[in-house]
Amino acid sequence: MPGVGLISLGRGKGKNLSEAKGFGMKIVGKGAIIGAVLAVALPLTATAQSTERALSEAEIQELLERSRAAGVMVSRDTADFNYLGGSQQAAETQVCCEPVQEEVTTERREEVTEEFFDAITSRTVIQPLERTIVQPIERQILQGRVEDIIEPTRFEEDILPVIIEEDSVPAVIENVIPQETVESREEVSEEFYDVIVQRDVIQPVERVTVVPVQRRIIRPRTETVTAPTRYEENILPTIVEEDAVPAIQETFQPQVTENRVEEVTERVIEYVSERNITQPLERTIIQPIERRILRPTTETITRDTIFEEEILPTRVDTEAAPDMVENIIEQVTERTVYEVEDVYIDQITRNVIQPVVVTNVQPITRRILRPQSETITENTRFETDTLPVIVEEAFVPETIVNYIPQVTENRREDVTETTFEAVTQRDIYQPIVRTMVQPVTIRRVRPQVETVTNPVRVETNRVQQIIINIGEGCNCGGAF
């Protein structure tokens, strides 16, 4: 077992079980009869707080006989006594009694509540005034007209450069015509491979019978704890505090609105704003074209013979291996382990101090002034002002002259044709001689025998636990 010191008592006399610190075990309840019998069979040599118990040879023999009587077949030579120790931390805590003592503390607390009340402290008086301003305006508007002029027609003739249209020569198409001859041959080789036909398996088996022994040691303890504080409140009569209301303040505010009105009159002035001059032009364009037409031809070529040799993937012919025969040989050893464990049970006498805080609450209500303002609007007064007349003069722009060319184009082509030769196809004959080589490997069986030792297989059988109770019950005579 990892992390636990194991001491065997099966080879000599006078050896004790030493303590293994830091190893905690779970408490498992068993019957009281077994614990009473074992308490007689295993005399203790120390007090309840001791972490070491000595076992004599006679006690060990007695424990072996009781194990045999319970059905565990064990001998002195195959028995080991392992002391597992036990954690000093209590595995179980029992509270015997809980006397309570109160400690009272008195406090005073004020709870202030604010309330608001409305009162008018200022007043604004608004005097609306609506003033209308009239602006007379005289606006001059221009009205333009367009006149058209057509000039006599002009004639022109243009001869363009000669365009040569030649058929494009396509890429030469090469037709490769293979003339193939195929030959084949085999290259045979032989090899051996090892096959295990028999395996002798040695299986070591260790059978362990575990007899758990638990000692339940009772430790009396006294502790003083402080319980959560208990709070109590007393509500006193409410006290009201109110703000004083000030005198009202009045403010007079004029509110002037100006409306501006324009009275517009219009006068029209005519003028020539645009003149269009049209110039007719008739143009004749002559395009000379020379067309060169392709006449395709074909040629034939025979290449030199190509000799190729292709090695195919090796074909492996494997002789079938016989089935393996496995012989399992068990080597059994048996032993019994007594695991002795200490478990501590704390029985607590708890003195409880109960703090009590009594709070006297004084409610205070404060009424706070929230100042308000009001606005009063009087009847509107109306006023009208007329401004001097404004004259908006129009400036006559210069006449826009547009020259519009009117072109008529006539196009004529003069075509001539010629022919030319070019090779567009080539037939190529390619003789090929290919040899196919097939490597063949024959794998034959070479029988082998091996011996294997498996890891030790541990078979563990745990029997019923034996419990020892050590110590006295609760004693509440020393509380407070």
Side-chain angles (χ1 to χ4, degrees), residues 356-376:
V356 179
V357 177
V358 178
T359 304
N360 295 322
V361 179
Q362 175 62 68
I364 299 175
T365 300
R366 291 179 182 169
R367 302 190 74 245
I368 301 173
L369 171 65
R370 185 161 54 196
Q372 302 293 320
S373 298
E374 68 176 359
T375 302
I376 299 175

Side-chain angles (χ1 to χ4, degrees), residues 50-287:
S50 175
T51 59
E52 185 175 301
R53 298 289 181 268
L55 297 177
S56 65
E57 186 66 24
E59 292 166 340
I60 293 175
Q61 291 298 334
E62 181 69 18
L63 184 59
L64 296 177
E65 291 176 4
R66 292 183 179 277
S67 298
R68 294 190 193 100
V72 179
M73 303 307 296
V74 60
S75 65
R76 183 68 178 83
D77 296 334
T78 60
D80 289 338
F81 294 85
N82 297 338
Y83 182 72
L84 303 181
S87 173
Q88 293 295 322
Q89 183 178 359
E92 182 180 341
T93 301
Q94 300 174 356
V95 178
C96 293
C97 49
E98 251 182 347
V100 179
Q101 179 179 352
E102 291 187 352
E103 293 182 354
V104 180
T105 304
T106 303
E107 297 179 353
R108 184 178 185 278
R109 186 179 77 248
E110 292 183 353
E111 290 186 353
V112 179
T113 303
E114 293 184 352
E115 295 181 356
F116 294 88
F117 65 96
D118 296 339
I120 297 175
T121 58
S122 64
R123 181 179 294 117
T124 302
V125 179
I126 299 175
Q127 175 61 64
L129 173 61
E130 185 172 339
R131 180 180 295 119
T132 302
I133 301 174
V134 179
Q135 176 64 68
I137 299 174
E138 180 182 339
R139 181 174 299 154
Q140 296 180 356
I141 300 175
L142 297 178
Q143 183 175 357
R145 59 186 178 84
V146 178
E147 64 179 8
D148 296 328
I149 300 175
I150 299 176
E151 295 186 352
T153 303
R154 292 188 300 115
F155 297 91
E156 294 181 357
E157 183 176 284
D158 292 341
I159 299 177
L160 301 178
V162 177
I163 295 176
I164 299 176
E165 295 181 355
E166 180 176 306
D167 290 349
S168 59
V169 179
V172 177
I173 300 173
E174 291 188 351
N175 297 323
V176 179
I177 304 171
Q179 298 175 345
E180 184 174 355
T181 303
V182 179
E183 299 176 357
S184 62
R185 74 171 187 273
E186 289 187 354
E187 295 182 354
V188 181
S189 61
E190 188 176 279
E191 64 180 25
F192 292 87
Y193 70 98
D194 294 340
V195 176
I196 297 174
V197 296
Q198 180 177 339
R199 178 179 293 128
D200 295 334
V201 180
I202 299 174
Q203 177 62 67
V205 179
E206 182 177 344
R207 292 175 182 164
V208 180
T209 300
V210 179
V211 180
V213 179
Q214 185 183 89
R215 295 187 291 191
R216 293 169 59 87
I217 304 171
I218 297 176
R219 295 185 301 191
R221 289 177 48 194
T222 301
E223 67 179 15
T224 300
V225 297
T226 301
T229 304
R230 189 175 74 243
Y231 296 93
E232 299 178 358
E233 286 188 354
N234 295 326
I235 309 298
L236 302 179
T238 304
I239 298 174
V240 178
E241 299 176 356
E242 182 172 318
D243 291 350
V245 180
I248 300 175
Q249 296 180 354
E250 288 188 350
T251 303
F252 291 91
Q253 178 180 349
Q255 188 178 70
V256 180
T257 303
E258 289 188 355
N259 298 322
R260 192 176 184 86
V261 179
E262 294 182 353
E263 295 181 354
V264 180
T265 57
E266 296 181 352
R267 185 162 58 90
V268 178
I269 300 176
E270 293 187 355
Y271 75 99
V272 177
S273 61
E274 187 175 353
R275 180 177 294 113
N276 296 325
I277 301 176
T278 303
Q279 174 63 63
L281 174 61
E282 184 175 340
R283 180 181 294 118
T284 301
I285 300 174
I286 300 173
Q287 177 63 68

Side-chain angles (χ1 to χ4, degrees), residues 363-474:
I364 299 175
T365 300
R366 291 179 182 169
R367 302 190 74 245
I368 301 173
L369 171 65
R370 185 161 54 196
Q372 302 293 320
S373 298
E374 68 176 359
T375 302
I376 299 175
T377 304
E378 295 185 353
N379 295 331
T380 305
R381 294 204 329 261
F382 297 92
E383 296 179 358
T384 302
D385 293 340
T386 302
L387 302 178
V389 178
I390 297 176
V391 178
E392 296 180 356
E393 296 183 358
F395 297 96
V396 179
E398 294 182 358
T399 302
I400 299 173
V401 179
N402 297 323
Y403 291 92
I404 304 173
Q406 193 177 61
V407 180
T408 301
E409 288 189 354
N410 299 320
R411 192 175 186 87
R412 189 176 75 245
E413 294 182 352
D414 292 339
V415 180
T416 59
E417 293 184 352
T418 59
T419 61
F420 68 97
E421 293 183 354
V423 176
T424 59
Q425 181 175 336
R426 181 179 294 119
D427 295 336
I428 303 174
Y429 291 93
Q430 177 63 67
I432 300 174
V433 177
R434 179 176 290 110
T435 302
M436 312 294 289
V437 179
Q438 176 64 68
V440 179
T441 300
I442 301 175
R443 300 183 74 239
R444 301 189 184 280
V445 176
R446 184 161 54 204
Q448 301 290 327
V449 178
E450 71 173 359
T451 302
V452 177
T453 300
N454 286 346
V456 177
R457 188 176 75 241
V458 179
E459 298 177 356
T460 303
N461 179 28
R462 299 185 68 87
V463 299
Q464 186 177 12
Q465 187 181 52
I466 301 173
I467 298 178
I468 306 171
N469 293 316
I470 302 174
E472 298 179 356
C474 293

Side-chain angles (χ1 to χ4, degrees), residues 23-30 84-87 89-92 212-216 339-345 462 465-467:
F23 187 81
M25 298 293 290
K26 182 187 289 185
I27 297 176
V28 180
K30 297 295 182 181
L84 303 181
S87 173
Q89 183 178 359
E92 182 180 341
V213 179
Q214 185 183 89
R215 295 187 291 191
R216 293 169 59 87
E339 294 181 349
V340 182
E341 174 196 7
D342 282 348
V343 174
Y344 291 92
I345 310 299
R462 299 185 68 87
Q465 187 181 52
I466 301 173
I467 298 178

